[in-house]
Amino acid sequence: MIQFQALAQTYGTPLYVYDFDAMKEQFESLKEAFRGRKSILAYAVKANSNLSVIKHFAQLGSGADCVSIGEVRRALMAGVPKYRILFSGVGKRDDEIREAIQSDILYINLESEGELSRVEAIAKELGVKARISIRVNPNIDPQTHPYISTGLHDNKFGVEIDAAKRMYIHAKNSDNLDAVGIHFHIGSQLTQLEPIYEAAVIVADLLRSLQAIDIELKFFDIGGGLGVRYNDETTITPYDYAQAILGALKGIDVTIICEPGRFLTANAGYFLTKVLYEKQNGAKRFVVVDGAMNDLIRPSLYNAYHRIEAVGKTSEATPVDVVGPVCESGDFLAKNYPLPAMEHNDLLVVHSAGAYGFGMGSNYNTRGRSAEIAVENGEARIIRARETFEDLIALEREYL
Ligand SMILES: *Cc1c(COP(=O)(O)O)cnc(C)c1O
């Protein structure tokens, strides 16, 4: 049991708390599902990019899936071996491509023919062969929130099958490209296995047709997206997930790469916030708290549900909007959520906040970002200090 009240007392609120033991359990359950197969779990750094979190996974043998050169640098700093680092994302600047090639990471995931040309040109300048993989858009509806669907032609991600084929053939004939992998990632918070299986079949078929023309790839990169339980969702078990992928591959000898983000960190994270006061506007009840959309934007952005626990409160719960101090009507952590009567300084714990929480934060309304705390083997330690006002204005000029 994490001592939320004591942590809030010691470190103040709003506060992010991560259960490192729970993260480890999630990692190991997924690793176990692919046991006996050549596989790499490459933690999707964007889910929670704190260096200590990345380091925690690196020590368990994780790789890193990065979507900016900044994330690649974080992964290297946190001790992820370069041969387990991937660089994905729909738009990469030339300087990012150059640095990724020079860092000698496992491969760059390409998402367009334009990007293939840029990588080839930069590798040529550097006089090297760049390792690449191509993200295929299999045009499968992942049945998730439209903002986190990525595997439909309507989404900006990846290339269609025919374009992917052209790109592999181009790479085969290039002195500066070494195609080593194939990639798909159809969306996030996936709770249905069927679309994942269908996408895997489509991409495995492409892999076979490439083999038939002497293009041999080593890595079958199935992306991330495994959903977690926020409320009452039924989720995919690691075992069923792995079996579906293996079923689609039907014995093709490749190393499977999986890029889990949310699955590893979401339910290991908690966002602690204190009640400032209750108020009533007509019939409508509000609890105003010290945490806001700049700390945790998922409710505002996706209408996401997070379970909220009123620590030590037992009186009857009635529906309330839990809102922050930010000057936006979209600033809420929950709507019509059943909570007991709350008083000044009561503590709320927002659950499932370990993925896309802190990392999506901002300084909107000149609010410093929360501190981040790791709890491991019953011990708490600070892994990021609370931002001060001085931190927020440090880069501003000419104000005197
Ligand atoms: C975001 C992302 C992931 C991780 O997604 P989760 O839903 O957090 O598992 C994996 N791969 C790519 C390419 C991504 O963009």
Side-chain angles (χ1 to χ4, degrees):
M1 266 307 281
I2 297 179
Q3 302 301 314
F4 293 118
Q5 199 67 262
L7 290 173
Q9 199 87 43
T10 308
Y11 299 104
T13 56
L15 186 71
Y16 273 98
V17 175
Y18 307 129
D19 180 344
F20 272 31
D21 301 314
M23 288 183 185
K24 181 176 177 199
E25 255 174 53
Q26 289 296 96
F27 184 88
E28 286 177 347
S29 71
L30 197 51
K31 192 74 200 165
E32 173 67 20
F34 286 101
R35 199 163 57 110
R37 281 294 304 223
K38 285 175 287 180
S39 67
I40 298 175
L41 294 191
Y43 170 55
V45 168
K46 74 177 187 286
N48 185 327
S49 48
N50 186 292
L51 284 167
S52 299
V53 172
I54 307 170
K55 181 177 167 195
H56 184 51
F57 288 121
Q59 287 172 342
L60 297 170
S62 184
D65 177 49
C66 305
V67 290
S68 69
I69 204 66
E71 287 192 356
V72 172
R73 288 187 192 181
R74 277 182 183 272
L76 288 166
M77 278 177 79
V80 181
K82 62 184 183 182
Y83 54 85
R84 286 194 202 125
I85 297 178
L86 323 174
F87 185 15
S88 309
V90 76
K92 305 175 189 77
R93 294 189 312 266
D94 285 0
D95 61 290
E96 292 185 292
I97 293 170
R98 189 170 298 113
E99 189 174 327
I101 295 173
Q102 287 174 323
S103 304
D104 197 30
I105 59 173
L106 183 57
Y107 57 73
I108 302 175
N109 266 321
L110 303 182
E111 301 214 17
S112 61
E113 300 191 78
E115 189 168 55
L116 181 88
S117 308
R118 288 313 307 151
V119 170
E120 185 176 27
I122 293 166
K124 189 168 184 190
E125 270 168 41
L126 296 172
V128 297
K129 251 186 164 177
R131 280 184 300 277
I132 57 143
S133 162
I134 294 168
R135 176 166 177 176
V136 178
N137 182 322
N139 201 27
I140 292 284
D141 183 355
Q143 297 162 31
T144 185
H145 189 288
Y147 284 14
I148 49 178
S149 157
T150 58
L152 283 166
H153 283 171
D154 271 358
N155 304 128
K156 68 180 174 180
F157 297 97
V159 299
E160 17 178 0
I161 305 277
D162 287 346
K165 262 192 192 157
R166 280 199 299 277
M167 289 164 74
Y168 281 114
I169 291 167
H170 182 93
K172 187 178 163 67
N173 297 316
S174 165
D175 291 335
N176 300 103
L177 296 171
D178 182 14
V180 296
I182 193 161
H183 176 227
F184 67 97
H185 170 74
I186 60 171
S188 198
Q189 183 54 13
L190 307 177
T191 54
Q192 306 289 320
L193 192 52
E194 194 57 25
I196 302 176
Y197 176 72
E198 283 173 35
V201 166
I202 290 170
V203 178
D205 283 347
L206 174 57
L207 185 65
R208 279 187 202 94
S209 70
L210 293 169
Q211 282 178 336
I213 53 171
D214 257 0
I215 295 174
E216 289 290 342
L217 303 174
K218 289 194 200 76
F219 301 102
F220 189 73
D221 180 345
I222 61 176
L226 211 49
V228 300
R229 179 174 260 207
Y230 287 97
N231 187 11
D232 54 5
E233 301 90 337
T234 41
T235 54
I236 302 164
T237 68
Y239 178 83
D240 290 345
Y241 180 54
Q243 290 305 305
I245 299 297
L246 297 178
L249 279 170
K250 286 201 197 82
I252 308 177
D253 182 30
V254 279
T255 297
I256 296 167
I257 297 193
C258 180
E259 306 167 345
R262 188 189 312 268
F263 178 82
L264 298 182
T265 61
N267 281 330
Y270 304 88
F271 178 62
L272 277 51
T273 181
K274 274 200 168 153
V275 172
L276 299 174
Y277 21 74
E278 276 223 27
K279 67 184 277 186
Q280 191 98 17
N281 279 348
K284 184 85 192 173
R285 184 185 162 214
F286 294 94
V287 169
V288 184
V289 296
D290 64 0
M293 66 188 290
N294 75 294
D295 301 296
L296 179 62
I297 203 174
R298 298 189 67 258
S300 307
L301 190 60
Y302 312 124
N303 222 355
Y305 174 93
H306 285 265
R307 188 158 80 78
I308 298 181
E309 176 188 348
V311 178
K313 290 276 157 173
T314 51
S315 65
E316 195 200 335
T318 60
V320 63
D321 284 8
V322 180
V323 300
V326 164
C327 302
E328 298 282 342
S329 291
D331 177 28
F332 59 88
L333 297 176
K335 289 209 153 173
N336 289 314
Y337 196 95
L339 284 181
M342 304 297 294
E343 285 164 46
H344 185 64
N345 278 342
D346 279 346
L347 182 64
L348 294 180
V349 177
V350 181
H351 287 245
S352 311
Y356 307 105
F358 183 93
M360 282 183 133
S362 76
N363 293 126
Y364 187 40
N365 280 208
T366 306
R367 289 169 53 86
R369 267 172 276 232
S370 317
E372 293 176 290
I373 305 295
V375 177
E376 191 170 13
N377 295 320
E379 304 258 355
R381 63 183 198 271
I382 191 156
I383 56 174
R384 193 180 201 269
R386 185 174 299 285
E387 281 177 352
T388 63
F389 175 69
E390 286 67 34
D391 293 328
L392 303 195
I393 61 165
L395 299 176
E396 294 182 37
R397 302 287 182 265
E398 296 184 5
Y399 51 87
L400 288 180

